[in-house]
Amino acid sequence: MNKRWTTIFALLVASATGAVCAQEIKGNAKAAEGKVAMCIGCHGIVGYKASFPEVYQVPKISGQSEKYIDAALHAYKKGDRKHPTMRAIADSLSEQDIADLAAYYAQHTVGETQLADKPSKVPSAEVAELLKKGTCVSCHGDNFSKPLDPSYAKLGGQHPDYLYAALKSYTVEKNTRIGRNHPIMVGMAKQLTHAEMKALANYIGSLDGPLQVVPESRFRSKQAAN
């Protein structure tokens, strides 16, 4: 076998091995109990707020799907999401850590949440047009909480100010500290004015949803430094 084919064969073997390893990584929610200290200081406090790049409540992550949390952490790790604090945290995590944390927060809820197929509130005519324009339901599903793909976010009941900040982040370009890069969301967000983003965020955040902040009694509410 000549050098060229040896190289190609080695690359194929490496790719196949990597794919097999990725498939073998299973999240262990119990194991994550010893890994969540870096998460609960923000996501485990009711009313906790970030102050960069603006003040907003940090997102509810308890009850998000396992695949979404996994995808979000990998996006920070790759730099597709640029929040400095979250990037630093994601960079410190192994593939197993990410899988464990994703499994933990997917089941980290109190009580049961049963959602109807239709949103709990009827949107205004303006918001209804914006939802149609952004085709939000086509990805995020019924009640904005049953995503078409489990790697997409559940949105219903998420903090409105966080949703607004997240939507704006998809329109940021050429900034190493803020912004998100997701082709579908970038295309959708760039159709909207800030006022339209806020109207969407306020409506979707007002709905009943499965997302929760499960309080950590050892912490008190306060504003985050990140």
Side-chain angles (χ1 to χ4, degrees), residues 1-224:
M1 185 179 292
N2 61 37
K3 184 176 181 180
R4 175 172 175 269
W5 285 108
T6 300
T7 302
I8 292 173
F9 179 75
L11 289 172
L12 289 172
V13 170
S15 297
T17 302
V20 170
C21 289
Q23 291 174 357
E24 289 177 348
I25 296 175
K26 299 293 184 182
N28 184 328
K30 187 67 176 176
E33 292 177 3
K35 304 177 181 182
V36 296
M38 68 185 77
C39 308
I40 59 178
C42 290
H43 297 285
I45 305 175
V46 175
Y48 201 85
K49 293 183 179 181
S51 59
F52 178 84
E54 60 189 84
V55 176
Y56 60 87
Q57 293 186 84
V58 297
K60 303 174 186 179
I61 59 174
S62 294
Q64 277 286 11
S65 73
E66 191 168 341
K67 287 190 176 181
Y68 169 75
I69 295 171
D70 186 283
L73 286 171
H74 277 101
Y76 285 115
K77 202 174 182 74
K78 288 169 58 182
D80 288 338
R81 293 188 178 195
K82 299 176 183 178
H83 191 287
T85 303
M86 284 303 305
R87 287 202 67 185
I89 290 171
D91 283 343
S92 73
L93 301 174
S94 68
E95 292 295 311
Q96 186 64 61
D97 292 336
I98 290 175
D100 292 345
L101 290 170
Y104 177 85
Y105 277 106
Q107 54 82 53
H108 188 237
T109 56
V110 177
E112 295 185 6
T113 303
Q114 292 186 348
L115 297 177
D117 290 337
K118 294 183 178 181
S120 53
K121 296 182 181 178
V122 177
S124 67
E126 175 197 7
V127 170
E129 283 300 312
L130 292 174
L131 291 170
K132 183 178 179 181
K133 180 180 180 180
T135 63
C136 305
V137 174
S138 64
C139 285
H140 296 286
D142 295 336
N143 233 325
F144 308 97
S145 295
K146 298 178 181 179
L148 178 69
D149 185 296
S151 66
Y152 299 160
K154 298 176 185 178
L155 301 179
Q158 183 60 272
H159 297 306
D161 54 354
Y162 166 73
L163 292 175
Y164 177 51
L167 279 171
K168 287 191 294 183
S169 73
Y170 288 108
T171 66
V172 175
E173 297 179 347
K174 298 178 181 179
N175 189 313
T176 59
R177 290 174 59 79
I178 59 174
R180 295 185 181 186
N181 181 24
H182 186 287
I184 296 175
M185 287 302 302
V186 167
M188 191 279 283
K190 286 187 174 181
Q191 302 178 75
L192 305 172
T193 66
H194 284 185
E196 289 172 334
M197 291 178 187
K198 183 169 285 188
L200 278 174
N202 286 340
Y203 170 68
I204 293 173
S206 73
L207 302 176
D208 294 334
L211 304 178
Q212 300 180 17
V213 177
V214 179
E216 288 286 337
S217 59
R218 70 186 104 170
F219 295 115
R220 292 179 297 176
S221 297
K222 58 182 179 179
Q223 182 165 309

